Amino acid sequence: MSNIYPDKDIDWLIDYVTKIYVNDWDAKLNAFFLNSKITQPAYKGAKKISETISYFKALIEEKEKNEQGFCRITGRNVKLFNAGRDNSMMSGSGTFINFHHFFDSGLKLSKEVIIRMHFVPLGSLLLAGKVALLKSNDESLSYFFVEKNIENNLANIRNGIKEGVVKSEFKNPANAIFDFVDKSLSQFKRLEKKASLTLYHFTNFGASPEIEIYHLPATVFLFYSLCHKINYKQDWQNFVRAHYKNSKNKGAIYNRQDRTFNIEKKGKVESIDYDEYKTWTNSILDKLLNGQSLVPEFHQWSKKGNKIHFDIIRIYLQNIRNMKKETIDKLLELADFIIKDKSEDQIRKSINKLNGASKAHELRRFLLNLVEENYNNENEKPLITVKDYTDYLFSDSSNTGEIRDVLLIAIYQKMHELNLKIKLAEEITEEVEQ
């Protein structure tokens, strides 16, 4: 705000934003400041503004009750003022005395922090009815989030939209976070290689205030950004977009050509474009945010004959799933062996056996049969060495289920490269026992 109005002092800025909260937003800030001067039912209209201005004037002049000590947020030794649900967020009150330092009746903060708290609503958005605040270890991303929200909030007011804090078009945190990442990748040519994001999703309203924290690690952020490189972007977008689901549009089928969903309604086929279906639930984005494996989805996508650059899978396995490079290389080598110089019937049987290997010992037996076949063919080079077996395929840290699925993905990848169209029996692939 001080960048927008560089010639204005803090008193003017406090007055300006307070009038927005009261006059334009009808004091609907309970999710931020419960029982503040603005939300207090005892104060009406202009009284809300005057009481708020008086409070901050007393705070600035240090006429409010205070004590010397260390601010809980800045860590500085300054004069401290009481902070509670009326002037800060998620800070508790006397009820939570056990959780405060030295059994204080609430948080003790510097006036600088409390003043900054007053501006938070203008730089926020509402996501599914709760406040959404985003923080990054890359300050340019944190600033970008606040800057965009302030722009949108002020634009709404100028356009006569006075419904309060701008509302996100999304319903769940995963979609909102990755939409912000998409915007960031378009905005910044270069980002910190270790940039991470944390979304605070909360409400300070009611008898039971609550907060949920969603963290997007730097490894996932980097992986997601790499998927948007020109070589991978089309494959990645098709993969992600095909996994949008919506209960009101059951039966909708993704069209890879025009990247829309088609659904039949009343005898007519309707087309749903990205601007609409991007708000649906997406299992890929949810799993990326929650640290769940995408390998089963990669497997099913490849099995259905869909193209996806193997580099995407390799980067994901190494950087997110911590799979060793040697393991991936060996699985690609095994896929070559299963495909090379084999008839369609032989390839089909190998895939069916591999799909049926739902127990760890069955997967081991399948690979040992390949070793035996390689030996009987009198090939000079061993297919799997003891080091391969113990260090890269079945080490203590390996995930047997992912080993099996990645081998299948590699086979489908090779089939795609060779334009092999082999009809496979429909089967339910079970998770492999570890």
Side-chain angles (χ1 to χ4, degrees):
M1 290 296 294
S2 59
N3 286 345
I4 297 174
Y5 302 103
D7 59 332
K8 304 298 184 181
D9 60 18
I10 189 63
D11 295 307
W12 186 92
L13 291 175
I14 291 173
D15 181 77
Y16 176 77
V17 74
T18 301
K19 288 176 179 176
I20 287 177
Y21 296 162
V22 176
N23 296 334
D24 296 305
W25 290 356
D26 197 26
K28 295 177 180 177
L29 294 181
N30 288 302
F32 295 90
F33 311 119
L34 187 66
N35 293 330
S36 67
K37 308 294 184 182
I38 292 174
T39 59
Q40 180 58 252
Y43 301 135
K44 306 293 182 183
K47 184 74 170 175
K48 292 178 179 291
I49 298 173
S50 61
E51 287 291 332
T52 301
I53 299 303
S54 296
Y55 167 72
F56 279 105
K57 183 178 180 181
L59 191 68
I60 291 171
E61 295 175 355
E62 299 181 350
K63 293 180 180 178
E64 281 283 306
K65 181 181 178 182
N66 63 79
E67 61 186 69
Q68 194 73 22
F70 291 93
C71 174
R72 286 284 297 275
I73 290 181
T74 67
R76 295 175 179 174
N77 190 348
V78 293
K79 289 184 178 180
L80 302 178
F81 301 83
N82 291 328
R85 293 176 71 183
D86 59 327
N87 61 0
S88 62
M89 287 155 278
M90 310 307 293
S91 60
S93 62
T95 306
F96 303 102
I97 190 170
N98 289 355
F99 300 99
H100 296 304
H101 291 173
F102 309 112
F103 296 100
D104 286 335
S105 59
L107 284 180
K108 304 292 184 180
L109 303 176
S110 65
K111 61 183 179 182
E112 290 82 5
V113 168
I114 295 175
I115 290 170
R116 281 163 172 78
M117 290 277 194
H118 188 56
F119 290 83
V120 168
L122 201 62
S124 306
L125 56 80
L126 294 181
L127 173 64
K130 296 180 183 179
V131 180
L133 293 177
L134 192 146
K135 184 74 174 70
S136 174
N137 61 331
D138 184 333
E139 286 301 318
S140 63
L141 289 178
S142 298
Y143 188 90
F144 181 57
F145 175 80
V146 173
E147 183 182 39
K148 284 300 172 187
N149 288 332
I150 289 177
E151 287 178 3
N152 292 334
N153 277 313
L154 293 181
N156 278 355
I157 293 169
R158 286 193 299 269
N159 294 327
I161 302 173
K162 300 185 177 183
E163 298 177 350
V165 178
V166 67
K167 295 178 177 61
S168 172
E169 60 187 314
F170 302 102
K171 303 298 181 185
N172 64 69
N175 294 45
I177 288 175
F178 284 104
D179 179 72
F180 176 76
V181 176
D182 289 337
K183 288 183 172 66
S184 300
L185 294 176
S186 299
Q187 173 74 14
F188 301 100
K189 291 183 179 179
R190 295 186 65 184
L191 287 168
E192 291 285 342
K193 286 191 174 181
K194 294 185 179 180
S196 61
L197 297 173
T198 301
L199 179 73
Y200 300 89
H201 193 213
F202 69 90
T203 178
N204 205 34
F205 184 55
S208 301
E210 59 180 352
I211 183 168
E212 291 181 280
I213 301 175
Y214 300 89
H215 183 64
L216 188 72
T219 51
V220 178
F221 192 110
L222 178 60
F223 164 72
Y224 188 83
S225 62
L226 289 173
C227 288
H228 284 72
K229 285 191 172 183
I230 190 67
N231 293 345
Y232 312 138
K233 189 171 184 178
Q234 185 172 345
D235 285 2
W236 174 251
Q237 284 190 342
N238 273 326
F239 171 67
V240 173
R241 293 186 181 186
H243 286 82
Y244 280 100
K245 301 292 181 185
N246 181 265
S247 59
K248 294 181 180 178
N249 292 279
K250 289 182 179 178
I253 299 173
Y254 181 68
N255 185 324
R256 286 178 294 169
Q257 302 304 317
D258 56 14
R259 299 184 182 181
T260 63
F261 274 89
N262 296 328
I263 185 170
E264 186 174 336
K265 292 184 177 180
K266 297 180 180 179
K268 295 182 179 180
V269 177
E270 295 182 9
S271 181
I272 305 171
D273 62 21
Y274 179 68
D275 284 339
E276 181 176 347
Y277 70 74
K278 71 178 182 180
T279 62
W280 298 357
T281 300
N282 188 290
S283 58
I284 302 302
L285 301 183
D286 285 344
K287 283 194 168 188
L288 276 176
L289 182 60
N290 295 318
Q292 297 171 298
S293 176
L294 294 183
V295 172
E297 281 73 18
F298 284 136
H299 172 211
Q300 290 300 316
W301 183 250
S302 302
K303 176 186 168 184
K304 293 175 182 176
N306 297 302
K307 177 179 175 293
I308 186 166
H309 203 298
F310 195 79
D311 281 358
I312 293 174
I313 298 170
R314 179 187 286 277
I315 294 168
Y316 175 78
L317 292 170
Q318 288 186 226
N319 296 338
I320 308 298
R321 303 302 294 172
N322 297 317
M323 186 176 284
K324 296 175 182 176
K325 176 183 179 297
E326 295 84 353
T327 302
I328 301 169
D329 291 340
K330 177 53 63 175
L331 293 173
L332 286 169
E333 184 184 334
L334 293 173
D336 269 331
F337 181 81
I338 292 169
I339 295 289
K340 189 177 180 181
D341 299 327
K342 300 293 194 306
S343 67
E344 290 189 7
D345 188 55
Q346 288 175 310
I347 296 172
R348 183 185 299 108
K349 285 180 179 178
S350 293
I351 293 174
N352 289 339
K353 285 182 181 177
L354 196 52
N355 271 316
S358 60
K359 295 181 172 58
H361 72 85
E362 292 173 343
L363 177 61
R364 293 188 179 98
R365 174 47 55 192
F366 174 85
L367 296 181
L368 291 175
N369 285 340
L370 295 182
V371 172
E372 183 180 354
E373 180 185 341
N374 181 72
Y375 178 79
N376 290 336
N377 290 341
E378 299 182 356
N379 292 326
E380 293 184 7
K381 184 181 176 182
L383 185 63
I384 300 175
T385 66
V386 172
K387 185 176 181 63
D388 293 334
Y389 190 91
T390 57
D391 291 358
Y392 306 134
L393 295 176
F394 297 105
S395 66
D396 291 339
S397 62
S398 66
N399 183 312
T400 311
E402 290 193 342
I403 295 293
R404 194 258 324 254
D405 285 354
V406 174
L407 178 53
L408 282 165
I409 293 169
I411 293 171
Y412 295 131
Q413 177 81 7
K414 299 291 182 182
M415 289 168 57
H416 196 282
E417 291 172 359
L418 298 171
N419 200 28
L420 280 174
K421 306 292 184 182
I422 299 177
K423 186 172 178 59
L424 300 170
E426 286 293 326
E427 82 290 321
I428 299 174
T429 303
E430 301 178 32
E431 289 189 8
V432 178
E433 293 179 359
Q434 298 303 304

